[in-house]
């Protein structure tokens, strides 16, 4: 497939353009012109430079690239392994038992596969919440994989096998940052990622990790409000010690008190909602219904392919459904009926695009289709999909009708990385082979029985029994 060299002008024509600009402008039949790595024009019947590569978007939707603000990319080689896990089983497997087995090459395999998967699904920016970096060799492998794929990424450095006040203050970590991280690089951003579990005393050793982040000028992302794991005390400690601000991302934040939500709102932080994860793993109820009450900015994320995939269409759909279920449920408990929904499809699309850009501090760069912004653009178009016609309500269509197979073209930083439903970067064969080697290695180290048992946790006996039914008459005749 012939596409222009990176930096060559591109014009995407005659599509329904969802700009996601401040006025939420929609152009029913519009064009987007890309020159270099920037969007140079958005409008109708645009003139294009001679030789510009033209993409016909008729019957499709042109929208900003989607942004995933929390994804454990290193776990992707174990795709679907934990489909029946609870969060407890996830913790035991990765934190206490077999997560320690991962080698640098296994981190590479997961990141490389995940990066390709994200781009294929129209996710142009992914935060690699990489808490499997046991050594800086693991971290180097994570970066190598991300740099091997021309997407926009943020490395969220973490290490679940060591306390954050230890690894953040180590000379090896500082050496890694000096070697691999460039301040201002919008193709590979950087965060520090760790959690603050509840304690029975007032000790707060995590202060040292926050101070390192402050010295480096980077954001801290933390799994907050995870039921019975990271509680309100964590938010209180951060607030009272002056470590809450607009750059903080609170992942899940699904089981916090009103006081904690007020503190997040007052300091300008944002919440990354992983609705599929919260619904299945048990962190708490997906948080958009709470965050909206307090005016807390929202972004969306997919968590990990050990359960799910890098599919922001599923994330939007599940998030909006969860919000609406909660609204109906709360009303029913009051004996009332919801006649007008407060969470709209437009909100879900915003959370998946501009919400993520704002959370990362990159709203001036990405998240909307505006002149001067980086050219991260997605075209949804599939002439073979009956669900892609007619397009009447564009936000509703993106959330409830489109799917990852409808991603026709993906442009990142002005470069076409997917076109006509075909990935043009990386190697699926390479990714597959690397993932297979990781699985073979894990099985060899664990033993097949342990591998199979981990994938198929027992169902507690009390959950197997059906509830006694007083209407089960033996003489009943229908």
């Amino acid at each position: 497939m012939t596409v222009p060299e990176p930096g060559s002008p591109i014009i995407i024509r005659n599509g329904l353009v969802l700009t996601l600009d401040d006025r939420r402008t929609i152009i029913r039949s519009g064009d987007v012109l890309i020159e270099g790595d920037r969007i140079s024009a958005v409008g109708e019947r645009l003139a294009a430079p001679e030789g510009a590569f033209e993409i016909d978007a008729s019957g499709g939707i042109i929208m900003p690239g989607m942004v995933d603000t929390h994804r454990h990319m290193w776990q992707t080689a174990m795709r679907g392994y934990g489909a029946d896990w609870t969060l407890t089983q996830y913790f035991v497997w990765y934190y206490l038992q077999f997560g320690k087995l991962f080698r640098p090459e296994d981190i590479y395999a997961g990141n490389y596969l995940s990066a390709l998967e994200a781009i294929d699904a129209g996710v142009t920016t992914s935060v690699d919440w990489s808490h499997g970096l046991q050594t800086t060799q693991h971290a180097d492998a994570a970066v190598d994989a991300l740099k091997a794929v021309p997407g926009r990424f943020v490395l969220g450095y973490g290490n679940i096998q060591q306390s954050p006040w230890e690894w953040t203050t180590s000379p090896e970590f500082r050496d890694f940052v000096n070697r691999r991280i460039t301040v201002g690089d919008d193709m590979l951003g950087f965060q520090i990622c760790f959690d603050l579990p509840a304690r029975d005393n007032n000790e707060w050793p995590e202060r040292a990790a926050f101070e390192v982040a402050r010295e480096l000028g980077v954001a801290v992302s933390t799994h907050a409000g995870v039921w019975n794991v990271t509680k309100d005390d964590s938010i209180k400690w951060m607030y009272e010690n002056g470590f809450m601000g607009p750059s903080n991302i609170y992942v899940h934040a699904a089981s916090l008190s009103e006081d904690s939500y007020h503190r997040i709102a007052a300091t300008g932080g944002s919440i990354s909602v992983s609705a599929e994860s919260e619904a299945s793993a048990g962190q708490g109820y997906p948080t958009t219904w709470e965050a909206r009450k307090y005016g807390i900015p929202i972004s969306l994320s997919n968590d990990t392919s050990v359960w799910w995939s890098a599919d922001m269409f599923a994330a939007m759909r599940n998030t909006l459904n969860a919000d609406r279920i909660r609204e109906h449920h709360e009303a029913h408990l009051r004996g009332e009926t919801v006649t007008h929904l407060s969470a709209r499809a437009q909100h879900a699309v915003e959370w998946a695009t501009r919400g993520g850009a704002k959370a990362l501090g990159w709203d001036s760069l990405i998240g909307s289709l505006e002149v001067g912004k980086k050219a991260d653009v997605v075209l949804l178009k599939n002439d073979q999909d009956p669900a892609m016609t007619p397009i009447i309500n564009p936000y509703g269509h993106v959330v409830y009708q489109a799917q990852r197979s409808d991603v026709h073209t993906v442009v990142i930083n002005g470069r076409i990385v997917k076109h006509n439903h075909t990935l043009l970067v990386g190697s699926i064969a390479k990714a597959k082979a690397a993932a297979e080697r990781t699985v073979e290695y894990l099985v060899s180290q664990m033993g097949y029985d342990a591998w199979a048992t981990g994938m198929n946790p027992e169902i507690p006996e009390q959950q197997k029994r059906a509830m006694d039914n007083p209407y089960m008459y033996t003489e009943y005749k229908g």
Side-chain angles (χ1 to χ4, degrees):
M1 184 180 300
T2 303
V3 296
E5 291 294 317
S8 302
I10 302 163
I11 181 111
I12 308 175
R13 288 200 182 278
N14 303 318
L16 191 156
V17 183
L18 286 180
T19 67
L20 274 299
D21 63 10
D22 288 341
R23 294 185 294 178
R24 304 304 186 260
T25 304
I26 297 174
I27 306 172
R28 285 283 170 178
S29 181
D31 309 335
V32 175
L33 177 62
I34 297 166
E35 296 181 274
D37 63 357
R38 304 275 175 169
I39 297 170
S40 59
V42 180
E44 298 178 346
R45 296 182 292 279
L46 297 176
E50 184 176 352
F53 186 78
E54 187 164 318
I55 299 172
D56 178 17
S58 57
I61 297 172
I62 309 170
M63 62 179 288
M66 290 173 277
V67 180
D68 185 333
T69 53
H70 156 244
R71 183 164 166 74
H72 305 299
M73 296 173 68
W74 65 283
Q75 299 172 349
T76 305
M78 291 182 63
R79 184 183 306 284
Y81 180 89
D84 296 317
W85 277 357
T86 62
L87 192 61
T88 298
Q89 287 155 342
Y90 173 89
F91 284 154
V92 169
W93 203 99
Y94 278 112
Y95 287 59
L96 302 178
Q97 294 180 330
F98 305 117
K100 301 173 184 179
L101 294 175
F102 279 69
R103 306 162 298 177
E105 53 262 48
D106 304 315
I107 300 292
Y108 185 100
N111 273 25
Y112 187 75
L113 179 59
S114 183
L116 293 180
E117 175 191 359
I119 290 173
D120 186 62
V123 180
T124 54
T125 301
S126 299
V127 174
D128 175 23
W129 220 101
S130 199
H131 59 353
L133 306 183
Q134 303 173 59
T135 68
T136 52
Q137 289 73 38
H138 289 74
D140 280 320
V143 170
D144 289 343
L146 299 180
K147 284 186 170 292
V149 178
R152 198 179 300 278
F153 301 104
V154 175
L155 177 69
Y157 196 115
N159 179 2
I160 56 177
Q161 303 301 337
Q162 193 176 33
S163 301
W165 56 90
E166 295 175 318
W167 61 260
T168 58
T169 58
S170 70
E172 294 82 7
F173 172 73
R174 187 57 60 96
D175 174 68
F176 168 82
V177 173
N178 291 337
R179 286 188 297 105
R180 303 306 303 265
I181 303 302
T182 302
V183 175
D185 184 353
D186 58 45
M187 296 302 289
L188 182 66
F190 187 64
Q191 294 176 352
I192 294 178
C193 298
F194 60 90
D195 296 337
L196 293 87
R199 290 191 179 86
D200 295 330
N201 54 43
N202 292 322
E203 294 180 3
W204 201 57
E206 290 88 356
R207 169 187 287 277
F210 279 105
E211 289 174 344
V212 169
R214 177 171 288 174
E215 180 189 347
L216 294 174
V218 300
V220 171
S221 179
T222 184
H223 292 110
V226 174
W227 175 255
N228 213 33
V229 179
T230 50
K231 303 181 182 180
D232 294 300
D233 282 349
S234 304
I235 302 298
K236 181 182 177 182
W237 291 331
M238 289 177 64
Y239 183 83
E240 292 181 348
N241 287 275
F243 291 113
M244 292 180 73
S247 66
N248 292 113
I249 299 177
Y250 305 89
V251 178
H252 303 304
S255 53
L256 295 173
S257 67
E258 180 176 317
D259 183 72
S260 291
Y261 290 123
H262 277 308
R263 292 178 196 262
I264 294 172
T267 54
S270 64
I271 291 175
S272 176
V273 177
S274 301
E276 285 186 300
S277 179
E278 289 130 19
S280 185
Q283 294 92 339
Y285 201 89
T287 331
T288 56
W289 73 287
E290 284 278 34
R292 292 191 297 110
K293 293 180 189 176
Y294 301 95
I296 300 172
I298 296 166
S299 64
L300 302 186
S301 59
N302 285 299
D303 208 337
T304 168
S305 280
V306 81
W307 272 290
W308 308 285
S309 66
D311 186 346
M312 291 298 280
F313 299 100
M316 286 187 283
R317 192 170 295 134
N318 279 280
T319 304
L320 191 57
N321 285 344
D323 196 301
R324 290 174 171 182
I325 290 167
R326 187 74 186 222
E327 187 172 16
H328 286 298
H329 179 67
E330 296 284 332
H332 295 169
L333 291 176
R334 299 190 301 269
E336 300 172 359
T337 297
V338 174
T339 59
H340 292 74
L341 292 167
S342 58
R344 302 300 177 99
Q346 177 179 326
H347 295 148
V349 178
E350 290 173 358
W351 298 334
T353 54
R354 199 160 182 185
K358 289 179 178 178
L360 298 176
W362 284 351
D363 188 46
S364 63
L365 293 175
I366 60 172
S368 59
L369 303 182
E370 298 180 77
V371 173
K373 285 198 171 184
K374 288 296 187 82
D376 290 4
V377 186
V378 169
L379 170 61
L380 307 181
K381 174 183 165 74
N382 189 344
D383 295 337
Q384 303 304 312
D385 182 1
M388 281 301 292
T389 189
I391 298 172
I392 299 170
N393 177 343
Y395 292 111
H397 207 102
V398 171
V399 176
Y400 283 127
Q401 306 298 325
Q403 53 190 317
R404 61 188 303 164
S405 61
D406 298 321
V407 176
H408 179 283
T409 296
V410 179
V411 180
I412 300 178
N413 211 46
R415 175 179 180 176
I416 299 175
V417 293
K418 180 179 182 179
H419 185 55
N420 199 21
H421 304 281
T422 302
L423 268 177
L424 305 179
V425 295
S427 167
I428 297 296
K430 173 185 172 182
K432 180 179 179 181
E436 288 174 347
R437 287 194 296 270
T438 290
V439 172
E440 290 170 0
Y441 162 74
L442 290 172
V443 173
S444 72
Q445 294 298 301
M446 295 170 58
Y448 182 78
D449 289 344
W451 171 265
T453 299
M455 187 166 36
N456 299 284
E458 291 184 4
I459 300 174
E461 196 61 39
Q462 63 269 24
Q463 294 181 16
K464 296 179 182 178
R465 295 195 298 268
M467 182 182 293
D468 291 337
N469 187 336
Y471 301 102
M472 296 296 290
Y473 302 119
T474 55
E475 300 298 321
Y476 175 75
K477 296 179 180 179

